Amino acid sequence: MNFIQYVKQVWKARPIGGTPFSPDRLNHMEDGIKNNNDMISELNNNTTTTYENAIITYAPALALVNIMPAKLTNTVAIRSWTTVATLPKEYRPSKTIKFPVTVYNPAGFVAYGQLTPNGALQIYSDTEIEANQGQTYYNFTYFI
């Protein structure tokens, strides 16, 4: 469903130049309320699923996908693109999407993430990360 912008109508108070009540004006309000209710209902029908260590939320009304980890992952010197999850076909982008990855530790290590057209959710770090020194966290949204 496409969002329909509600067009506000101006009402004037009586006794001079007041706006009369009419079925057209009342139906305009009823239609606007019904359309907004339908759109809110569709937004509430967002799909959230867990798939291979990733939590995926799909909002059909907005055509966007939000992806975050099902759990944090201990990292060990990820110096090449390492696949941490593979998304199902309906959530895959048409081109590679790159996004920042946060590594929670005091040294401020840097890591990167990407989602490829074949559904590989991958992480790369150009900084040495020792076991149990930090955890990677990825959470990003893209429009499809």
Side-chain angles (χ1 to χ4, degrees):
M1 171 180 288
N2 292 326
F3 283 96
I4 301 167
Q5 183 176 2
Y6 182 80
V7 179
K8 179 182 174 183
Q9 295 183 350
V10 177
W11 294 80
K12 295 182 181 177
R14 289 202 182 252
I16 301 171
T19 306
F21 285 95
S22 71
D24 287 341
R25 283 195 167 252
L26 293 172
N27 283 326
H28 175 80
M29 288 190 303
E30 288 291 321
D31 290 342
I33 293 168
K34 174 70 170 114
N35 286 337
N36 284 335
N37 183 68
D38 291 346
M39 288 183 277
I40 290 169
S41 293
E42 187 168 339
L43 284 174
N44 287 334
N45 289 331
N46 293 351
T47 303
T48 299
T49 184
T50 300
Y51 186 82
E52 288 191 28
N53 299 321
I55 298 172
I56 307 163
T57 302
Y58 174 64
L62 300 176
L64 63 82
V65 176
N66 183 58
I67 300 172
M68 61 186 296
K71 61 182 179 177
L72 294 178
T73 307
N74 284 325
T75 55
V76 182
I78 301 175
R79 291 188 176 267
S80 62
W81 287 110
T82 302
T83 299
V84 294
T86 303
L87 304 185
K89 289 181 182 177
E90 62 268 24
Y91 299 114
R92 296 176 183 179
S94 59
K95 63 181 182 178
T96 297
I97 298 171
K98 295 188 182 289
F99 53 93
V101 172
T102 302
V103 180
Y104 290 101
N105 58 50
F109 294 125
V110 178
Y112 309 96
Q114 69 180 12
L115 178 60
T116 66
N118 66 358
L121 184 57
Q122 300 176 326
I123 294 178
Y124 171 86
S125 175
D126 56 7
T127 307
E128 187 76 22
I129 302 172
E130 296 177 7
N132 298 318
Q133 190 172 13
Q135 295 187 329
T136 57
Y137 177 80
Y138 47 94
N139 183 10
F140 70 103
T141 300
Y142 70 95
F143 289 88
I144 57 172

